[in-house]
Amino acid sequence: MQGLKIKAQDFVLKGVVIEKGSNVRIALASITNIRSKTGATSNDIGMFQLSARIGDTLFIQKRNLIELKVVVKTDDDMVVFLVRESTMLEEVTVKG
């Protein structure tokens, strides 16, 4: 008799991408499952769906926000908070 093989179960992960501190939902963020190399984009209210399994790492990125890697720990809906990049200005010397 052969041993039983336990296969990790894929499921449809649902989530939302929000800007940390402002609670603004982020449209058109790119969400990539690093293991399966599949991706999704958040819709106009920040929602996304993506095939995943427990232990997968998601890579979330959006222009002007700091990219983030997050590990899928449960099959519950996921809330992802992205932080806005601070805009650094060039140093200015003021002479009187």
Side-chain angles (χ1 to χ4, degrees):
M1 219 163 92
Q2 291 186 333
L4 290 175
K5 253 190 169 177
I6 297 175
K7 182 178 179 282
Q9 293 294 311
D10 283 25
F11 60 92
V12 176
L13 174 70
K14 295 178 182 178
V16 62
V17 183
I18 297 175
E19 182 181 334
K20 189 169 186 155
S22 72
N23 289 334
V24 172
R25 292 178 176 216
I26 306 295
L28 303 176
S30 169
I31 300 97
T32 305
N33 182 324
I34 294 173
R35 175 192 57 83
S36 65
K37 298 185 177 31
T38 57
T41 304
S42 60
N43 67 14
D44 56 352
I45 57 169
M47 308 288 290
F48 68 89
Q49 293 187 78
L50 176 78
S51 180
R53 55 176 78 148
I54 305 295
D56 282 358
T57 300
L58 304 183
F59 180 62
I60 301 103
Q61 56 187 349
K62 168 76 177 177
R63 205 173 85 186
N64 298 328
L65 296 167
I66 297 171
E67 58 195 31
L68 179 69
K69 285 184 181 172
V70 62
V71 176
V72 178
K73 295 187 171 133
T74 71
D75 59 2
D76 295 335
D77 292 356
M78 178 180 276
V79 179
V80 178
F81 292 98
L82 293 182
V83 176
R84 182 160 297 280
E85 292 178 343
S86 57
T87 308
M88 289 294 284
L89 300 174
E90 294 289 320
E91 185 176 326
V92 177
T93 304
V94 178
K95 295 180 180 175

